[in-house]
Amino acid sequence: MELDTLVAQCKAGDEIAWEALVRRIQGRVFGLCFHYLRDREEAREVAQETFIRIYRGMKSFDGSGSFLAWSVRIARNCCFDRLRKQKTLATHGAATIDDPDYGRELVEKREGFVDTQVRNQLLRKALDGMSAINREMILLKDIQGLKQREIADLLSIPLGTVKARSNRARTELAERVLDLDPSYGA
Amino acid sequence: MECTRFEELLFERLEGSLDEARSEELTAHATACDRCGDLENLLTSPAQAGTGGAVVPDDLAESVLALTSAREPLQRALRQLDLDLPAMASMVPDDDFVADVMAATTVADKQRFWYRAREFWHGLAQRPRFALEGAYLGAVTVVLLVGMPWSPFADMREQVLTELRGQDSIVRTTLAEGTSRIGRISTVTWSRASEIMSGEVELPELALHPTIARPLAAWRDRVAGWFAAVWTSVFKPTFDWIVGPWTTNAGDLSSDAPAPPELSDEDNNEHPTRRSA
C-alpha cells in the first residue's frame, strides 16, 4: 500500500493503517534517531516519542509536502530536544558509533554481512570526522533521501546552499573514506 | 565478408591488433563495398577524426590518463557511496517497539485524555521553575481570594481573628503556665548552684589521708571562692536580667489565669549538703 494512502487512512482514524504506517517507517525513524543520539536506548525512547508526536499531529499534516520529510522533521526536533536535555550537543561531534547493527537491515540483504559491517563502520568513522553541517547534509540527502528543497525548508537555508554544500559534503566524505581505506569502491 | 564483421575488424586494425591476413581481407571488402570503403576513409583520415588536422601533442594522452586515473578512486568511492549511504537509513529497533508505540498512541478516548493530561502534567512539573511558579501562583490566588476588598472571602481574616480573640484566655493561660514553670525551675537550679559557689553550702570532707586531704581541700575552697566571686559579679546579675522579665511577665499574664502548679518533689529536692537555716 502506498504511503500516502496509509497516511490518509490514518487521518481518518484507522488504527490498523496507523500500525502499518508505524511498521513501515519505524526503521527510518529509529535509524535517524540513532544517528543523532548514538545510543540504542535513547534512540528507542526518542523514536517512540516521535511516533506519538506524529500520531497527535497527523491531522495537522496537510499533505502539501512529503510525509517522510515531515516525519524526519519531527524526529530531528525530538532528537535535538533530547540532546539539549543531555547538554551533549557541544561534545556530540567527538562521539563515535560502535553499534554493529547500524544500517544492517537493507545492506545485509544485498551483500555479505561481514563486508557490510566493515563498510558501515568505515562510513561511520568517516562521518564522525566531518563537520556537523556536512554530516547532517549527508544524513538528510544521501541517507534519508530527502529532496534538496525539503532540506532547505528543514534547515532554513537557501536552496543554492543546499546544492553546493551537499556536493561538497559528498566529496568530503568520499575523500575521508579513501583516506581511511584507499581500496573503498574498488 | 559481411559489413558488420568489417566494422569489428576495422576497429581492431586501427588499434593495430589485427594480423596481416585479416587486414588483406578487410582491404578487399573495403574496395568492393562503397559503404565500408567510405567508413574506412572516415576513420583513418585525421581531418575527419576530429583533430582538425592539427598536430596532437605527444603528451596529451598521458596527461589525460594521469588526470583521470587520479580522479578514478574518488569517482569509484562516490559511486560506492551511492550504494552504501541509502542502506544506512534504516535500522531495526527491538521487537516490542511497535507494540509500545501502539500502546502509547491507540488507547481509548477516555484513557487518551488522562494520558495526555498526565503527559502534560509531567512535562509541566519537570520544568526547573515549576516550584517557584507554583508558589507565585499560590500567593496570587490567596491574595485574590482573601486579600482584596472585593474578594469573595474578604471577611475571612476578621472572622479568624475574632475566633482567636474568643480563645484568648486559653492562649494566655497556656503561655503563663509555661513561662512560670520555666522560670521557677531555672531559679531553683541556679540558686542551688549559687549557694554552693558562694560557700553557703558546706562541702563534705575528703575521705583521704590528712596530709593529702588538707591541701586538696584548701585548693578546692580557693577555686570555689573564685567561682563564687565570678558568679555573684557576672552570672547572677546576667541570669536575673534574663529570667526576671520572664517571671514578671508570666505573673502579669497569669493574673486572670489559674495559679501555676507547684514544683514537684523532684524539682524541690534539697541538696543533701544544704545547711539547715
mmCIF file of all heavy atoms in Angstrom, chain B residues 77 79 98 101 131 144 151 169 172 195:
data_model
loop_
_atom_site.group_PDB
_atom_site.id
_atom_site.type_symbol
_atom_site.label_atom_id
_atom_site.label_comp_id
_atom_site.label_asym_id
_atom_site.label_seq_id
_atom_site.Cartn_x
_atom_site.Cartn_y
_atom_site.Cartn_z
ATOM 1 N N ALA B 77 34.747 5.847 -5.299
ATOM 2 C CA ALA B 77 34.234 5.993 -3.929
ATOM 3 C C ALA B 77 32.857 6.659 -3.932
ATOM 4 O O ALA B 77 31.959 6.249 -3.186
ATOM 5 C CB ALA B 77 35.216 6.809 -3.099
ATOM 6 N N ARG B 79 30.672 6.543 -6.317
ATOM 7 C CA ARG B 79 29.690 5.562 -6.811
ATOM 8 C C ARG B 79 29.335 4.569 -5.705
ATOM 9 O O ARG B 79 28.187 4.183 -5.540
ATOM 10 C CB ARG B 79 30.248 4.833 -8.034
ATOM 11 C CG ARG B 79 30.197 5.647 -9.327
ATOM 12 C CD ARG B 79 30.405 4.744 -10.550
ATOM 13 N NE ARG B 79 31.729 4.142 -10.568
ATOM 14 C CZ ARG B 79 32.805 4.717 -11.120
ATOM 15 N NH1 ARG B 79 32.690 5.909 -11.685
ATOM 16 N NH2 ARG B 79 33.962 4.107 -11.116
ATOM 17 N N VAL B 98 6.983 -1.632 18.123
ATOM 18 C CA VAL B 98 5.684 -1.288 17.531
ATOM 19 C C VAL B 98 4.579 -1.417 18.579
ATOM 20 O O VAL B 98 3.686 -0.555 18.669
ATOM 21 C CB VAL B 98 5.397 -2.190 16.312
ATOM 22 C CG1 VAL B 98 4.000 -1.931 15.776
ATOM 23 C CG2 VAL B 98 6.421 -1.938 15.219
ATOM 24 N N VAL B 101 4.655 1.559 20.822
ATOM 25 C CA VAL B 101 4.130 2.757 20.155
ATOM 26 C C VAL B 101 2.611 2.682 20.066
ATOM 27 O O VAL B 101 1.910 3.668 20.349
ATOM 28 C CB VAL B 101 4.743 2.898 18.743
ATOM 29 C CG1 VAL B 101 4.023 3.977 17.950
ATOM 30 C CG2 VAL B 101 6.215 3.233 18.833
ATOM 31 N N ALA B 131 8.480 24.923 40.878
ATOM 32 C CA ALA B 131 8.226 25.218 42.298
ATOM 33 C C ALA B 131 8.027 26.718 42.516
ATOM 34 O O ALA B 131 7.105 27.150 43.225
ATOM 35 C CB ALA B 131 9.386 24.715 43.146
ATOM 36 N N LEU B 144 -5.923 37.069 45.892
ATOM 37 C CA LEU B 144 -7.160 37.338 45.165
ATOM 38 C C LEU B 144 -8.381 36.841 45.919
ATOM 39 O O LEU B 144 -9.448 37.449 45.883
ATOM 40 C CB LEU B 144 -7.109 36.682 43.773
ATOM 41 C CG LEU B 144 -6.137 37.325 42.786
ATOM 42 C CD1 LEU B 144 -6.112 36.530 41.475
ATOM 43 C CD2 LEU B 144 -6.538 38.770 42.498
ATOM 44 N N SER B 151 -12.725 40.698 47.269
ATOM 45 C CA SER B 151 -12.520 39.248 47.241
ATOM 46 C C SER B 151 -13.719 38.521 47.838
ATOM 47 O O SER B 151 -14.371 39.041 48.757
ATOM 48 C CB SER B 151 -11.265 38.886 48.048
ATOM 49 O OG SER B 151 -10.140 39.484 47.476
ATOM 50 N N SER B 169 -8.265 33.627 76.402
ATOM 51 C CA SER B 169 -7.926 33.206 77.761
ATOM 52 C C SER B 169 -7.146 31.902 77.762
ATOM 53 O O SER B 169 -6.228 31.704 78.560
ATOM 54 C CB SER B 169 -9.203 33.048 78.587
ATOM 55 O OG SER B 169 -10.017 32.077 77.986
ATOM 56 N N ARG B 172 -3.579 32.711 76.783
ATOM 57 C CA ARG B 172 -2.864 33.405 77.861
ATOM 58 C C ARG B 172 -2.522 32.435 78.995
ATOM 59 O O ARG B 172 -1.427 32.471 79.555
ATOM 60 C CB ARG B 172 -3.720 34.556 78.400
ATOM 61 C CG ARG B 172 -3.791 35.721 77.432
ATOM 62 C CD ARG B 172 -4.843 36.706 77.883
ATOM 63 N NE ARG B 172 -4.531 37.301 79.168
ATOM 64 C CZ ARG B 172 -3.764 38.379 79.330
ATOM 65 N NH1 ARG B 172 -3.257 38.964 78.264
ATOM 66 N NH2 ARG B 172 -3.518 38.874 80.518
ATOM 67 N N GLU B 195 24.483 28.935 95.823
ATOM 68 C CA GLU B 195 24.766 28.630 97.235
ATOM 69 C C GLU B 195 26.059 27.847 97.354
ATOM 70 O O GLU B 195 26.878 28.094 98.253
ATOM 71 C CB GLU B 195 23.608 27.831 97.849
ATOM 72 C CG GLU B 195 22.377 28.680 98.104
ATOM 73 C CD GLU B 195 21.172 27.833 98.476
ATOM 74 O OE1 GLU B 195 21.314 26.600 98.526
ATOM 75 O OE2 GLU B 195 20.099 28.422 98.690
#
